[in-house]
């Protein structure tokens, strides 16, 4: 039986969302689990999956428009169902007026402003069956119609590699900068610096990049940051990791062990497992840790739930899954919400130490530097070489004071320097 597809509440508490695209064109069948619509949130593009097999009869709002949560966005029907007169069906379903939708200005192509076309019928070059949100975003940024790209993924799905190959296959630009005009429009993609031959590229802000900038600016303005830094010996931690990876049949990263150490420290100092709200400090019963993952669109922080009860292999598997989903653009909004602390590791890039900005509304973020072999004082008072890592905790001074942060850091150091406990 024909029914309405309504704009979902993909972000908790949201009242509107942006209908980013229709992966399934009108009058096209889909299978259960296929993406029938793509919705933009502040952090990611989210595919809306079909709950059952069906056909997209009519899209009620165009791509690139902002719609209230709960508003009808399409009419769907069972496979092969004849819905008859569409206007009569819409009236029967309670849709008597056009859905209120606000066009969203697009700036993916430098120097232009695109708004959604009122014509909802997909052009031949835009028609496709499967493509990841990341692939669609990369294609938009490059000005390539996703329907013109041959997909090599499962079921012909267009992947990031397919889009990159299409971009590489295009005719390259002529070498050398173009001469600077006497005056240029604000949206010009390239401009020469006054009196020089230097030029620059204009890279428009993506929705995700704007959201990251807004949230981190808000964090630094509203959350009073303070920092606790220290060095920890990681020789035993690295030895344990090597034994696990050699004998255990699974591959564990240093980050996986640090995530478990964070959970152990939270268990010992539960006052750290909090967030600040307007009315009260909220203390959680489980330890949920966000993991910073770099993607082409920006940094995302999916959240591992109940880390204190997960095995190391389970933590490792979940982190790998989140990393793959983040880079493919398939994370759900619910994956990005919650937690009281984030871990951000730049050690693999050779960064010795850094201070990170808290991811609101969390209360802390742990910045992890690289491991270095450093002279340290041994128990007998002499010097010895040891594997040392610098950790920097950024904490929100509203729910966390200095003494509490120091107690937590001491618990974290103990868990790292005596890592056998992480296996218990």
């Amino acid at each position: 039986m024909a029914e309405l597809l309504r704009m979902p509440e993909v972000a908790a508490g949201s009242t509107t969302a942006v209908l980013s695209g229709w992966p399934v064109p009108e009058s096209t069948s889909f299978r259960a689990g296929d993406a029938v619509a793509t919705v933009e949130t502040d952090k990611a593009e989210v595919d809306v999956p079909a709950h059952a097999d069906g056909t997209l009869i009519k899209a009620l709002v165009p791509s690139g428009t902002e719609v209230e949560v709960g508003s009808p966005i399409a009419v769907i029907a069972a496979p092969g169902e004849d819905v008859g007169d569409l206007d009569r069906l819409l009236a029967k379903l309670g849709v008597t007026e056009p859905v209120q939708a606000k066009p969203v200005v697009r700036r993916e192509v430098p120097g232009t402003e695109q708004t959604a076309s009122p014509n909802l019928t997909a052009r031949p070059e835009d028609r496709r069956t499967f493509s990841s949100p990341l692939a669609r975003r990369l294609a938009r940024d490059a000005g390539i119609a996703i329907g013109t790209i041959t997909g090599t993924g499962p079921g012909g799905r267009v992947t990031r590699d397919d889009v990159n190959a299409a971009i590489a296959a295009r005719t390259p630009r002529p070498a050398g900068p173009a001469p600077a005009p006497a005056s240029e429009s604000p949206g010009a993609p390239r401009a020469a610096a006054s009196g020089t031959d230097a030029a620059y590229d204009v890279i428009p802000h993506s929705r995700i990049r704007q959201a990251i900038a807004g949230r981190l600016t808000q964090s630094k303005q509203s959350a009073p940051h303070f920092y606790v830094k220290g060095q920890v010996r990681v020789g035993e931690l690295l030895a344990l990791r090597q034994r696990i990876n050699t004998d255990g049949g699974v591959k564990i990263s240093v980050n996986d062990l640090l995530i478990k150490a964070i959970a152990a420290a939270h268990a010992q100092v539960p006052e750290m497992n909090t967030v600040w709200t307007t009315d009260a400090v909220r203390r959680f019963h489980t330890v949920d840790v966000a993991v910073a993952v770099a993607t082409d669109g920006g940094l995302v922080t999916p959240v591992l739930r109940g880390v204190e009860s997960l095995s190391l292999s389970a933590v490792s598997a979940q982190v790998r899954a989140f990393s793959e989903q983040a880079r493919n653009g398939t994370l759900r909004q619910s994956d990005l919400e919650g937690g009281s602390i984030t871990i951000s590791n730049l050690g693999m890039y050779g960064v010795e130490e850094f201070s990170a900005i808290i991811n609101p509304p969390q209360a802390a973020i742990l910045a992890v530097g690289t491991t270095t072999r450093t002279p340290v004082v041994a128990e007998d008072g002499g010097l010895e070489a040891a594997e040392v890592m610098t950790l920097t905790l950024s904490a929100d001074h509203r729910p966390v004071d200095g003494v509490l942060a120091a107690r937590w850091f001491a618990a974290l150091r103990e868990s790292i320097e005596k890592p056998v406990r992480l296996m218990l």
Side-chain angles (χ1 to χ4, degrees):
M1 180 178 179
E3 60 181 351
L4 295 174
L5 175 66
R6 298 183 179 274
M7 175 62 78
E9 184 185 7
V10 292
S14 62
T15 57
T16 63
V18 175
L19 193 286
S20 177
W22 290 106
V24 178
E26 290 180 354
S27 304
T28 301
S29 298
F30 52 82
R31 302 293 300 272
D34 288 349
V36 293
T38 302
V39 177
E40 287 188 26
T41 71
D42 284 346
K43 293 184 176 180
E45 282 189 326
V46 179
D47 282 336
V48 179
H51 297 295
D53 295 355
T55 302
L56 181 67
I57 302 298
K58 177 69 176 178
L60 302 179
V61 296
S63 300
T65 51
E66 187 174 7
V67 185
E68 289 188 3
V69 170
S71 296
I73 57 176
V75 179
I76 57 178
E81 180 181 354
D82 183 5
V83 299
D85 184 81
L86 184 59
D87 291 336
R88 183 177 301 175
L89 173 63
L90 289 172
K92 182 179 179 181
L93 294 173
V95 182
T96 57
E97 298 180 356
V99 178
Q100 296 297 315
K102 176 184 176 183
V104 176
V105 174
R106 298 291 188 191
R107 293 184 173 86
E108 279 82 5
V109 180
T112 65
E113 290 187 356
Q114 303 171 343
T115 56
S117 168
N119 181 9
L120 298 179
T121 303
R123 297 174 298 171
E125 62 267 28
D126 291 333
R127 296 174 70 91
R128 78 279 193 196
T129 303
F130 299 108
S131 61
S132 71
L134 177 58
R136 291 194 291 275
R137 184 163 61 249
L138 292 175
R140 281 204 312 268
D141 291 344
I144 300 176
I146 193 73
T148 64
I149 301 174
T150 301
T152 61
R157 185 180 180 89
V158 177
T159 66
R160 174 180 59 184
D161 291 340
D162 297 329
V163 177
N164 288 335
I167 294 173
R170 292 195 305 179
T171 303
R173 295 180 182 179
S183 62
E184 59 185 12
S185 63
R190 296 183 65 86
S194 176
T196 71
D197 293 330
Y200 58 83
D201 291 326
V202 174
I203 304 173
H205 301 313
S206 67
R207 183 177 176 85
I208 296 176
R209 182 65 67 183
Q210 287 177 319
I212 293 171
R215 286 174 64 84
L216 295 184
T217 300
Q218 174 198 2
S219 177
K220 288 293 284 187
Q221 290 176 341
S222 62
H225 286 53
F226 74 98
Y227 308 93
V228 175
K229 182 178 73 174
Q231 293 184 331
V232 296
R233 300 192 188 194
V234 294
E236 290 192 25
L237 186 85
L238 297 178
L240 174 63
R241 172 177 177 258
Q242 184 176 10
R243 288 197 298 271
I244 293 173
N245 290 344
T246 301
D247 304 328
V250 295
K251 296 299 181 183
I252 302 297
S253 70
V254 171
N255 219 45
D256 299 332
L257 289 161
L258 293 177
I259 291 170
K260 284 294 291 181
I262 288 173
H266 268 44
Q268 291 184 54
V269 188
E271 299 93 333
M272 274 290 293
N273 194 18
T274 59
V275 296
W276 177 270
T277 69
T278 303
D279 301 320
V281 171
R282 184 176 300 167
R283 185 181 299 175
F284 298 107
H285 297 160
T286 61
V287 181
D288 300 342
V289 180
V291 181
V293 179
T295 72
D296 293 340
L299 195 70
V300 294
T301 52
V303 181
L304 277 71
R305 316 286 176 181
V307 177
E308 78 283 357
S309 61
L310 295 179
S311 66
L312 268 172
S313 59
V315 168
S316 180
Q318 186 63 72
V319 170
R320 286 197 303 272
F322 275 155
S323 297
E324 183 66 23
Q325 290 169 338
R327 295 184 179 101
N328 289 337
T330 56
L331 285 171
R332 299 168 297 178
Q333 182 67 26
S334 58
D335 296 328
L336 304 170
E337 297 175 344
S340 61
I341 187 170
T342 295
I343 180 171
S344 180
N345 192 338
L346 296 181
M348 67 282 293
Y349 299 105
V351 175
E352 293 188 3
E353 63 178 78
F354 66 104
S355 300
I357 301 175
I358 298 168
N359 182 26
Q362 295 179 357
I365 182 169
L366 183 70
V368 180
T370 192
T371 299
T372 58
R373 193 160 180 79
T374 305
V376 298
V377 178
E379 293 183 0
D380 61 5
L383 288 179
E384 64 180 8
E387 301 292 338
V388 172
M389 174 185 291
T390 300
L391 305 177
T392 305
L393 176 72
S394 305
D396 182 346
H397 215 313
R398 294 172 297 178
V400 178
D401 60 31
V403 172
L404 175 58
R407 287 173 50 214
W408 182 87
F409 201 94
L412 178 70
R413 173 183 280 113
E414 183 179 19
S415 295
I416 293 173
E417 295 185 348
K418 299 178 181 178
V420 174
R421 300 179 182 182
L422 303 179
M423 304 292 293
L424 303 178

